Amino acid sequence: MSSNPKRLPRLTAILTQLQTKRLLTATELAEKFEVSIRTIYRDIRALEESGVPILTDPGKGYAIMEGYRVPPIMLTESEANALVTAEQLIRQNKDSSFVREYIEAINKIKSVLRYNTKDKANLLAERTIFAHHDESNHTSNYLSCIQLALTNFKPIQLNYCTVEGKQTTQRVVEPFAIYNSTQENWLLIAWCRLRKDYRAFRMDRMSNLEVLSETFEPHQLTLEEYVEICRQNFEAALT
């Protein structure tokens, strides 16, 4: 692919990026790797000549042909250590479905580690302790299915309890975004069909959640625009 030892890591990293995102522009790649756009053009050509099926969409960017996969790229020891540390932090999270899915994913990643790296990662896991707080007990089990509903544009039916716990209402909502508060409570930002507006729902106050089979039209509002609207509403309330 290349006789330049400094170029090889970049080509591998570009291939990883192309497998991570659906479409990437030469400008994005050039900025990420701090090289010229012309260099990225040469790198893409080198990958193509090595047999990687890269598709070029004029004016939009590059993508890898659907279905093409390469063997997993080995993690460095530092990268493996970062994942192990993140796993210990995730185990403290309040949503049990999120913890379960993350641990399953991490186990699959660990399975492709070199034996030496794997042994060191396991040693680090055994020697790393995070204090457990009673208030960190799992309080919801809905994050995983809510994530799937959000990305597949499926509405959710749920019962929602008020802050005081005195009233429960049934809602049908269209998932829009997910937010994690500093207290590790997961919030679902969604279009509420009952209130006909965007609302934030704490997942630990949800019950009888069901993802419906129908689909809804994707929201045109961006998350940045939503945050700006919330900021403006907050400032207006103070005046």
Side-chain angles (χ1 to χ4, degrees):
M1 187 181 294
S2 171
S3 59
N4 183 350
K6 294 182 180 180
R7 190 184 184 195
L8 285 171
R10 187 176 68 249
L11 291 173
T12 302
I14 288 175
L15 183 56
T16 300
Q17 288 295 308
L18 289 171
Q19 291 183 100
T20 302
K21 298 186 69 175
R22 182 187 294 268
L23 199 65
L24 281 169
T25 67
T27 300
E28 289 174 324
L29 291 170
E31 291 177 351
K32 179 173 181 60
F33 297 106
E34 298 181 342
V35 297
S36 68
I37 292 179
R38 182 174 297 181
T39 297
I40 294 298
Y41 290 156
R42 289 197 294 266
D43 289 346
I44 294 295
R45 190 179 308 115
L47 289 170
E48 291 174 330
E49 291 172 353
S50 70
V52 179
I54 297 177
L55 306 176
T56 302
D57 192 342
K60 294 185 177 180
Y62 302 106
I64 284 187
M65 183 180 295
E66 181 72 24
Y68 177 79
R69 295 290 184 273
V70 296
I73 297 170
M74 295 298 102
L75 299 177
T76 66
E77 184 178 345
S78 293
E79 290 169 339
N81 289 345
L83 287 175
V84 167
T85 304
E87 178 184 357
Q88 301 303 316
L89 287 169
I90 293 298
R91 287 178 181 273
Q92 307 298 319
N93 194 271
K94 289 190 175 184
D95 188 275
S96 58
S97 69
F98 176 58
V99 175
R100 181 177 63 250
E101 298 294 343
Y102 184 87
I103 291 174
E104 288 295 321
I106 281 295
N107 286 337
K108 290 179 180 178
I109 293 174
K110 286 180 179 177
S111 70
V112 302
L113 293 176
R114 292 186 293 267
Y115 284 119
N116 186 42
T117 305
K118 188 182 302 184
D119 290 341
K120 291 180 179 179
N122 287 333
L123 174 62
L124 181 64
E126 294 171 359
R127 304 292 177 83
T128 303
I129 299 175
F130 286 90
H132 177 75
H133 302 288
D134 291 338
E135 63 267 21
S136 294
N137 290 334
H138 297 154
T139 56
S140 67
N141 188 33
Y142 296 127
L143 180 60
S144 291
C145 63
I146 287 175
Q147 289 173 325
L148 291 173
L150 188 155
T151 56
N152 289 282
F153 307 109
K154 291 185 177 295
I156 294 173
Q157 180 175 287
L158 56 91
N159 290 339
Y160 193 71
C161 185
T162 60
V163 178
E164 300 80 10
K166 297 179 180 179
Q167 182 180 9
T168 299
T169 59
Q170 187 177 81
R171 312 286 185 95
V172 174
V173 302
E174 299 174 2
F176 171 68
I178 295 170
Y179 172 74
N180 184 253
S181 70
T182 54
Q183 292 79 29
E184 294 185 339
N185 287 311
W186 286 99
L187 301 177
L188 168 64
I189 301 169
W191 176 264
C192 179
R193 293 182 177 178
L194 177 65
R195 305 304 185 197
K196 301 188 185 306
D197 197 1
Y198 289 98
R199 290 287 190 272
F201 301 91
R202 275 182 50 165
M203 293 187 193
D204 59 337
R205 294 182 186 152
M206 298 177 180
S207 62
N208 299 328
L209 184 144
E210 177 186 359
V211 178
L212 303 180
S213 59
E214 64 181 276
T215 58
F216 59 85
E217 288 295 320
H219 301 278
Q220 299 304 308
L221 185 72
T222 67
L223 183 55
E224 291 76 13
E225 290 170 340
Y226 170 82
V227 171
E228 178 61 21
I229 291 172
C230 291
R231 185 188 66 81
Q232 292 176 2
N233 290 341
F234 177 74
E235 290 180 350
L238 295 177
T239 58

